[in-house]
Amino acid sequence: MTRFVTKAAALTAVLFPLVGAGVAGAQSQAVDEKTGPVSFANIASVRIGSEGQKGGALITETQRSPLLPGQSKLGTDRVSVPKDDGERATFGGHYQIDLGRYSNGNPFPAGVASRDHNVVAALQASTVPTAVAETNYALRDTWQGGAKPVDNTVLVLEGAKTAVDCTGPAKLTGTSSVSKLWVRQGDGLGIVPMPGGNAGIELKNLRLGPPGDITNASKDTTVSDLRLTRVGAFDQLIRQDGWRGGDYTAVAGWRVEITTHVKDAAGTALQDVRTNIVLGGVSCSVPKGFVAKAGGPSGGTNASQAAVPTQVPAGYLGAAAPDTGSDGSRVPLGIGLLFGGVFFGAVALLLGRRRNSGTD
């Protein structure tokens, strides 16, 4: 896989010879690619199956802060998970996560406007890494067969925002907020209060099926338990190997844990299926001894430089995926890479190689 990415980088150099030209003279100001301050932002990722079980995982494109002051922003073409048949095959065809903007039917409750998401990983002029992910999220179960998209919606996070700021080793912040939380209980969506701090909510016997087809499963008897909490540790993120931490790391995000009790038409238990979803997963990290530079903002994601194409490619594992480690959260970078991610990953690799060659 390393050989493949190296070839992709070489091809990118031929097709886009000016990619690094604009920053060549400023390489001495770049942060270290492997140990320097860095941030990451991901809009939604899914893992099916608990530890020890076979399952699948899908991690959407993860934005990474550039090596020079600037920002990397998720493109507005990502409006749902899954977005195509390839992604759908990784964890079944029942679940759909809508990411704010809609055109073919509204999956949100009345009054929730269609909007573009804002998912950004930035390196400020002060070299402080920051990240933010904000949008409206809707989790739908299309297995329910509702006449309209909203009829299949089970969970909505309206006005959700997660953000991190690593101003220094002693000043790390991570926040996860939501203006309204909607849950389908019975025949309609209703607002449920979301506790603050580290508290979460647990909901039992929701009309929510498994993420994919299971033989003899009945939607009349199958129910799910759902737990919603704030991400509080780096290992709770669902991430690629290219998504790294540091000596000091701040995280934020929304973690949705679903246990589906699959039953047949007679109510006989067939199996339990566990699904983990992380919405708006963000992190930032700084090394020991990090001190922000003067002369630039030290917070937020308003880096002055235009968006830079720096992202960890999307990846996924199929149903026969190997174990990914004790925390069950990481997917090896490069497995099932999507073409857009390959391009951006190659650009990042190319810039990194240019920086290294300039300091030998």
Side-chain angles (χ1 to χ4, degrees):
M1 185 56 66
T2 300
R3 187 165 133 201
F4 170 75
V5 174
T6 302
K7 285 185 177 180
L11 180 60
T12 304
V14 173
L15 296 178
F16 301 93
L18 299 180
V19 165
V23 297
Q27 289 299 334
S28 60
Q29 301 175 20
V31 299
D32 187 275
E33 183 178 5
K34 295 182 179 179
T35 62
V38 67
S39 63
F40 296 86
N42 178 270
I43 195 163
S45 294
V46 183
R47 174 173 290 280
I48 307 300
S50 58
E51 188 175 346
Q53 293 182 333
K54 289 184 178 180
L58 170 65
I59 303 177
T60 60
E61 306 87 342
T62 300
Q63 308 307 124
R64 172 181 170 144
S65 58
L67 302 182
L68 294 165
Q71 64 179 20
S72 181
K73 183 174 176 130
L74 178 64
T76 55
D77 59 326
R78 168 65 79 172
V79 296
S80 67
V81 180
K83 70 176 182 179
D84 54 37
D85 289 340
E87 291 188 356
R88 190 169 292 105
T90 65
F91 64 95
H94 294 174
Y95 288 1
Q96 183 86 23
I97 303 172
D98 297 284
L99 305 174
R101 178 157 53 90
Y102 53 86
S103 58
N104 297 320
N106 182 6
F108 295 97
V112 178
S114 178
R115 57 158 295 180
D116 285 331
H117 49 65
N118 182 43
V119 181
V120 178
L123 185 72
Q124 303 296 329
S126 58
T127 67
V128 167
T130 61
V132 65
E134 52 185 341
T135 195
N136 301 320
Y137 300 97
L139 172 62
R140 286 188 283 149
D141 176 15
T142 60
W143 190 49
Q144 300 301 321
K148 298 179 295 185
V150 70
D151 295 337
N152 295 322
T153 299
V154 178
L155 177 71
V156 171
L157 278 68
E158 181 183 353
K161 180 178 180 179
T162 54
V164 288
D165 185 310
C166 289
T167 299
K171 192 174 180 182
L172 308 175
T173 58
T175 58
S176 302
S177 61
V178 62
S179 60
K180 291 181 182 178
L181 177 66
W182 302 76
V183 178
R184 181 173 297 280
Q185 295 179 296
D187 295 331
L189 289 165
I191 297 175
V192 176
M194 181 66 198
N198 296 324
I201 61 169
E202 294 191 33
L203 303 163
K204 301 287 188 179
N205 299 321
L206 300 181
R207 189 62 64 192
L208 173 63
D213 291 327
I214 295 178
T215 302
N216 295 328
S218 169
K219 62 184 175 185
D220 295 325
T221 57
T222 296
V223 294
S224 293
D225 302 331
L226 184 148
R227 184 169 182 257
L228 177 67
T229 56
R230 293 171 173 86
V231 171
F234 187 64
D235 282 346
Q236 290 180 344
L237 296 168
I238 302 175
R239 64 190 195 277
Q240 304 101 321
D241 279 345
W243 184 339
R244 70 168 176 86
D247 294 324
Y248 301 92
T249 300
V251 298
W254 291 103
R255 185 177 178 89
V256 184
E257 300 170 83
I258 302 169
T259 301
T260 304
H261 307 292
V262 184
K263 302 176 183 180
D264 64 15
T268 303
L270 299 178
Q271 67 180 93
D272 284 353
V273 178
R274 291 178 173 81
T275 306
N276 286 323
I277 301 171
V278 173
L279 302 174
V282 293
S283 77
C284 62
S285 302
V286 293
K288 293 178 181 177
F290 171 79
V291 178
K293 292 184 177 181
S298 60
T301 55
N302 297 317
S304 58
Q305 184 173 321
V308 178
T310 305
Q311 66 183 10
V312 181
Y316 56 87
L317 292 176
D323 184 15
T324 58
S326 59
D327 63 14
S329 62
R330 291 174 294 130
V331 174
L333 176 61
I335 296 181
L337 291 177
L338 302 183
F339 290 110
V342 170
F343 166 71
F344 290 124
V347 171
L349 180 60
L350 175 62
L351 291 177
R353 287 180 178 274
R354 289 194 177 205
R355 182 180 63 79
N356 291 336
S357 63
T359 56
D360 287 343

